[in-house]
Amino acid sequence: MSQVQTLSPASAAERSRVMSTATSSALMLAPVLLLCGVFIFIPALLTVAGSFFSFGVTSPHWDFVGGANYARAATDPVFWTAMKNNIILVVGSVVLQVGLGTILAAILDRGIPTGSTFFRTIIFAPIVVSSVAVALIWLIIFDPNTGILNAIVKGMGLTPPPMGWLGDPNISIWMVLIVGTWQYTGFMMVMILAGLQAIPKELYEAAAFDGARGVKAFWYITLPGIRNVLAVAALVTTISGFKAFDLIFVLTQGGPANATQVLGTYIYFQAFKFNDMGYAYAISVVLLAVAVVLGSLQLKSNRRA
Amino acid sequence: MAAVGALVVPAQSTELKMWILSGNPGNAQFLTEAETEFQKTHPDFKLVLEQLPNESYKTQLPVALAGSAPPDVFFNWAGEYAARFAKEGQALDITELGAKPGGFKHSLSDAWQSSFELKGRNFGVPTDAVSKYFFYDKEFFAKNNLTPPTTFNGLVKLCKSIRQIDPSMVPWPLGNSERWIVNHVVTMLNERVLGNANTAADYDLSAPADQLFTNPGYVEAWQKLVDLQDAGCFQDAPNATSPEAADQMFLAQVSPMTFCGTWCAATFDKDGYTGYSLFRFPSIEGGKGDPAATFLVPQGYQIAAKSQHPELAAEWVSFLVSNEQAVNYAKLTAAVPSNAALIEQVGGTEQFNWFAKDIAQSTGSVMVLNVLLESAVSEAYLDAGVEVLNRTKTPQQAMDYIRGIALQSKARLGRN
């Protein structure tokens, strides 16, 4: 018995409509896919391929070295310092920026008596300033000879005064974290505030009726209500932590003695200062892999939540 | 009719793009004036001058040379920096072009030409050499009966004396935020303790692996840096102070001395401060170095291999080191020119005359470590300077670290 199926006029029309939708979707996405291919996927593939070679910016030849660049990274203490610093920046930024952003947003959401817009603007302001300008401002603040920070410390009678804030390998990465927190907390605050304001007020009224106020209300109503916003904020901060470059480049150039080196700056220095593009490519691939894995894990946990 | 035809020069583009370091007073003015002079024989010539600050220059230049529109002529330091571009085919071999009539080979001594040579070929034209000296405030020294030291112990004593005069005064401001400042000091300490002959095999990584950077003199040199810090020579946070800030401390006469490049003379002169004099980096008691050896880094111009106008570029750089131009260069930049034929016509400041004479009389030259050493070893030395000053590494730990990196580099490069 033949299995020939005949389409009813209605299903044929439906199929045609679906086909037409798929075709038009593909056509509409094509330019973006093409751009992504040309500017993201092809360079990414070339980077992976280049990581197996030894060559410089101006080298006339590429020498195949297999996995030597990756093996070198595994035993390179500066690479691990950079990785550790990226992790410090990611964890520190998530805790400080998202944490402080949440606290500030909660304060503003509860309605401070006057000047809410003023405070919101002031706290948000650093994000609209370019990172280079932010770094230059903080360079002046941190200056060991004329900076206001040392003047304050001295004024507080603390002796001996601290060494240069950005010149001491033991503390410089924490100074970078502080500057980053100063710059981005306002952005987190605005994002979380939007989430807070989307929570229906009736929930708080009902909770209050049941005796849940203050911290309890925050814990059982506010936090679950902004869970998705917090997840996005954490994801954005994590990605920023791994992409860190401009602030560090201007503030410390990865120094002193590589103490503030992150993968981004290390890639730059390997490529353009030490003329070792193959190694820079290998570190870029590692950075890409870490970012993809972390991003996927975070998205997965968000979906599960 | 034929004679008239011979005078017609075929029309062609004669624009040259030139990259130089910014922040060298007088250099841009010299080049602009030289352009006007050069146009007398090359009416269509036009110079497109681009100035970049030190750190970005080092990173942007290789990218530009690898690109499709590199500068035709670019500044560079002699040594590893210049050799790298020659080895990679980015710098033009200008041996034949320089030998033409009016070429730089007729103006410069063989010794000067050798600074940009690789395997007997010329890959650049030296314009001058920079050196470093202690600049000191004559009035302050005279008022407090201080004299320029000739030995390391004398230098340590001088720092202590200045601190006794005024404990808040920084005797020798050290702006090491870019790391090369301390590297220059350690360069001289190594020479004074070990001598050039005892460091050569380590510096070019040709020493046997079991001997590479094992001479105890290296640790001793780092210890001398610590001794200077302990004597109160430097301020509290040298690693967080910029070189410019340190220069300003001397210029503002809040610090009585500084170890500065010969290029600093032009900066101080430009700001109207001439009340200073100079002294050499002191000898070290018991050291194997040559007290008359001078820190000396030749620098000059290279021509991009991709330049569309190699002959014109070679004529231009040769013109820059001609007798007359060298005199003007010395006048405007307070630099010691590679062509010293008419140096007596410069009529420079007292300080210029002093270091020009001192360089001429020096019995040896000391090449700075961050230019001389292989890049990874150079980085190790730069980082070690920061850590020793911060006391996060002892002199011995600093040398262990440098030796480790040097061994890796030696193995990677296959230097025997």
Side-chain angles (χ1 to χ4, degrees), chain A residues 139 143 145, chain B residues 22-24 53-55 173-178 180-181 235 238 240-252 254 258 260 263-264 267-268 271:
Chain A
L139 273 177
D143 189 285
N145 307 299
Chain B
S22 61
N24 288 336
N54 191 325
E55 284 303 308
L174 204 64
N176 195 45
S177 66
E178 292 175 9
W180 51 269
I181 292 286
Q235 76 277 29
T241 304
S242 69
E244 294 78 17
D247 290 349
Q248 285 301 317
M249 288 169 79
F250 177 72
L251 188 59
V254 295
T258 184
C260 216
W263 63 86
C264 296
T267 307
F268 299 149
D271 285 322

Side-chain angles (χ1 to χ4, degrees), chain A residues 57-60 144-145 161 163-164 167-170 253 256-258 268 272-275, chain B residues 55 58-59 62-63 66 84 88 90 179 235-237 239-241 379 383 386-387 390 392:
Chain A
V57 178
T58 52
S59 303
N145 307 299
M163 293 287 281
D168 186 338
N170 296 315
Q253 294 257 320
N258 294 309
Y268 174 81
F272 301 116
K273 199 164 183 180
F274 307 137
N275 200 29
Chain B
E55 284 303 308
K58 291 173 191 166
T59 49
V63 179
R84 167 188 154 186
E88 293 181 345
Q90 299 293 341
R179 301 181 301 166
Q235 76 277 29
D236 285 336
N239 289 323
T241 304
E379 272 302 298
D383 285 343
V386 173
E387 299 237 48
N390 260 316
T392 43

